[in-house]
Amino acid sequence: MRPITALSAVIAVVLCTMPIVAKAQDASEKEIERYREMISDPMSNPGFLAVDRGEQLWAEKRGTKNVSLESCDLGLGAGRLEGAFAQLPRYFKDADRVMDLEQRLLWCMQNIQGLDTKDVVARRFSGPGKPSDMEDLVAFIANKSTGMKIEPQLSHPKEQEMAAVGEELFHRRGGVMDFSCSTCHGAEGKRIRLQALPYLAGPGKDAQVTMASWPTYRVSQSALRTFQHRLWDCYRQQRWPAPEYGSDGITALTLYLNKIAAGGELAVPSIKR
Amino acid sequence: MTKLHVSMLALALGGALICAAPIASRAADQPVSKPAGAMSKAADKAVEATKPGPSPAPAKTASAASKVSPETVDGYIKATFGKAPEDWQQRIVPDETMQACNKYRNDVPHEVGDAIMKREIAKVAYPADGKFLGNWKDGAKIANNGQGGQFSDKPETVHGGNCYACHQMAKSEVSFGTLGPSLTHYGKDRNYTEAEIKQAYTKIYNSQAVVPCSNMPRFGTNGFLTEQQIKDVMAFLFDPESPVNKE
């Protein structure tokens, strides 16, 4: 029996050393998770500075009509902010379009304030010493939906079209790498480098957690970022051309993702790596 | 058999059983030559990656009949990317192969898959000098480089293969993705045979020639990597001195 025993022991040892690599990966993922928990303390989240700036911008009189945005209807009635973001994008009768928050704000700036939005669009993403009105306004308005559940609006035919187009765009491959959104987000439990990838090709917790955490403060960029920026960056990484800011393709993707994220509880602005 | 022997045997078997679960889960990331058994979909795909033939139906792609017309989708694409420079817009016009992959969300019927492979193999340019392997040290850098081809990059930016984004390669590199199968010991596991070398070159040059609607870029056919870069990455996979084949 001795050789068999010895052989068994050797087999056991060999088999047991194999998962060490996997364990090392688990350990590093736990460290990443710990880091995330550390930075997700709301009291140390600089994203709330953007919320405060956004509040001021919302009430500031601007444009040729010298009025504030306070009468802007974000879907729940003029000036009503609580819960509005949780139901965007949605169909707006006055514009006869489905709009996300940025598109709606641009519309209100143009139509209510008579504001030339060229400068606002030029500063759509902030840079060092160059704040973005849009990032701040989105942070302020989205924050008013914190604690509420993502409630996708899909009753109007144009909303349904938007969601369906968004799903198509999600799976549409192109660019020099033949990538689509689903290349990275089409299967569960995948990683790119060490970064875990949320599964977004169907409903579930990944979609809920993802969509409930935008806008976010990005530590690596020292800036509050909106979901417009996230999708812009996704297309950049996919080697697609730059998507137009406030374009319908971005709104379509957002609505599709909110559709599969329905019920996710918003906690924004969050803080991310 | 002594009591000691019995208990040692029990311990060893117990250890083997305890270890079996993580190994089964790890098998998902392993390439071909591992025993079948508890193979996951990812492992199936890995096997598929090494032999020609249409890929099996992916788990989640319940190819839902599209609720919108392709023209509608094209309209949105134009509205969203229409202001980008013309050559950039051209990059997202799907060729015949991508049209098929988009239509079936990569889960193409066998005859469509066969047509893709036939069409794409014709787009593979093998090295004129007949040499498939370049310098593995250069290949290691290319595998680690994720730059190039983004709208934020300068046009002169040297493109990287960014292989580690999706694949495990050298064991010493712990930051690797799992979108593709592990490639550790790639050449060694394949006995460095000429047929395997040619097959790997084909796969890197044009993944669609090997697996229809593969997630992998067509590095050669799409002009993302040069022939020399592909040869260097090939050496990284196949040179016996490469860290991919060490340990």
Side-chain angles (χ1 to χ4, degrees), chain B:
Chain B
M1 194 155 72
T2 64
K3 254 189 184 171
L4 180 69
H5 282 141
V6 173
S7 58
M8 274 179 71
L9 184 64
L11 198 70
L13 287 176
L17 279 175
I18 289 162
C19 290
I23 286 161
S25 71
R26 198 166 174 258
D29 294 331
Q30 290 295 317
V32 238
S33 50
K34 303 293 175 215
M39 272 206 164
S40 72
K41 291 242 156 37
D44 283 345
K45 188 98 181 170
V47 170
E48 207 55 50
T50 63
K51 61 171 189 201
S55 55
K60 287 272 177 185
T61 47
S63 26
S66 181
K67 295 162 204 137
V68 282
S69 70
E71 292 73 31
T72 305
V73 179
D74 286 344
Y76 274 77
I77 291 210
K78 189 126 191 70
T80 304
F81 300 99
K83 285 189 188 165
E86 180 56 26
D87 59 323
W88 274 89
Q89 288 180 52
Q90 280 308 313
R91 293 185 197 184
I92 54 167
V93 176
D95 63 5
E96 209 179 336
T97 294
M98 278 307 115
Q99 271 179 38
C101 296
N102 287 337
K103 183 179 173 187
Y104 294 101
R105 293 196 183 163
N106 299 332
D107 187 10
V108 284
H110 278 261
E111 64 276 16
V112 177
D114 288 345
I116 287 174
M117 286 195 297
K118 200 175 157 200
R119 183 189 310 127
E120 297 297 329
I121 195 81
K123 298 181 193 170
V124 178
Y126 293 100
D129 62 4
K131 292 189 179 114
F132 286 98
L133 307 183
N135 181 325
W136 72 258
K137 286 181 184 168
D138 290 337
K141 286 179 201 150
I142 294 161
N144 240 319
N145 177 7
Q147 290 195 304
Q150 298 178 341
F151 58 66
S152 53
D153 284 325
K154 292 195 174 87
E156 64 270 22
T157 304
V158 173
H159 290 188
N162 205 14
C163 312
Y164 280 107
C166 301
H167 297 284
Q168 183 180 24
M169 302 182 90
K171 282 268 188 78
S172 53
E173 176 57 71
V174 292
S175 170
F176 60 85
T178 58
L179 288 159
S182 170
L183 306 177
T184 55
H185 302 154
Y186 195 86
K188 196 178 170 189
D189 283 350
R190 286 159 184 77
N191 293 318
Y192 308 105
T193 62
E194 272 179 44
E196 291 285 4
I197 288 171
K198 189 178 180 188
Q199 179 74 352
Y201 185 92
T202 308
K203 174 97 190 191
I204 297 170
Y205 199 97
N206 187 329
S207 58
Q208 305 293 329
V210 181
V211 179
C213 301
S214 162
N215 273 339
M216 190 163 143
R218 292 175 282 183
F219 286 107
T221 298
N222 281 355
F224 197 79
L225 294 180
T226 65
E227 182 180 288
Q228 187 57 48
Q229 284 181 308
I230 293 175
K231 286 178 170 185
D232 292 340
V233 171
M234 283 289 294
F236 188 48
L237 289 174
F238 279 99
D239 194 309
E241 292 308 309
S242 159
V244 167
N245 295 312
K246 291 284 187 183
E247 296 153 66

Side-chain angles (χ1 to χ4, degrees), chain A residues 3-19:
Chain A
I4 293 170
T5 310
L7 186 65
S8 299
V10 166
I11 289 170
V13 167
V14 168
L15 288 176
C16 280
T17 53
M18 288 175 70

Side-chain angles (χ1 to χ4, degrees), chain A residues 40-249:
Chain A
S40 69
D41 174 7
M43 297 308 285
S44 59
N45 180 351
F48 284 91
L49 296 172
V51 172
D52 293 344
R53 279 195 298 265
E55 186 169 15
Q56 286 169 24
L57 278 168
W58 178 253
E60 193 185 320
K61 289 179 181 170
R62 291 203 295 179
T64 56
K65 295 177 189 169
N66 197 35
V67 291
S68 76
L69 282 166
E70 284 163 314
S71 65
C72 178
D73 181 356
L74 297 176
L76 300 179
R80 203 175 141 201
L81 298 176
E82 278 73 20
F85 181 72
Q87 296 183 20
L88 285 168
R90 72 184 304 150
Y91 176 75
F92 289 92
K93 206 172 173 203
D94 52 15
D96 191 28
R97 276 175 68 195
V98 177
M99 294 167 155
D100 71 351
L101 181 53
E102 283 89 335
Q103 286 178 319
R104 187 60 183 171
L105 284 169
L106 287 170
W107 190 91
C108 285
M109 286 170 183
Q110 286 157 3
N111 290 278
I112 294 176
Q113 296 184 302
L115 187 73
D116 181 359
T117 54
K118 225 170 108 182
D119 166 62
V120 174
V121 173
R123 290 184 295 115
R124 61 200 184 284
F125 307 133
S126 63
K130 199 181 74 171
S132 162
D133 292 359
M134 276 305 221
E135 285 176 351
D136 296 344
L137 280 165
V138 169
F140 166 61
I141 294 160
N143 178 248
K144 295 278 183 194
S145 288
T146 274
M148 297 181 194
K149 293 200 161 92
I150 295 168
E151 205 181 323
Q153 301 297 299
L154 296 161
S155 54
H156 195 279
K158 289 198 179 183
E159 292 166 343
Q160 290 159 9
E161 178 187 291
M162 271 281 178
V165 169
E167 186 176 341
E168 290 299 312
L169 291 180
F170 182 86
H171 291 279
R172 174 94 159 209
R173 300 179 67 171
V176 285
M177 303 287 243
D178 297 325
F179 285 161
S180 68
C181 307
S182 62
T183 305
C184 286
H185 300 284
E188 283 166 290
K190 295 290 180 183
R191 264 186 10 217
I192 188 159
R193 286 285 187 164
L194 282 181
Q195 177 69 46
L197 295 161
Y199 167 71
L200 300 174
K205 200 162 186 292
D206 278 7
Q208 288 184 334
V209 169
T210 300
M211 296 311 286
S213 62
W214 289 89
T216 194
Y217 182 82
R218 291 218 88 145
V219 176
S220 56
Q221 298 171 19
S222 306
L224 185 287
R225 294 303 189 199
T226 68
F227 199 59
Q228 283 269 347
H229 185 276
R230 183 70 202 104
L231 290 179
W232 174 86
D233 201 33
C234 279
Y235 275 121
R236 185 179 72 86
Q237 292 174 327
Q238 282 180 62
R239 275 81 178 172
W240 276 56
E244 202 64 23
Y245 185 74
S247 60
D248 285 345

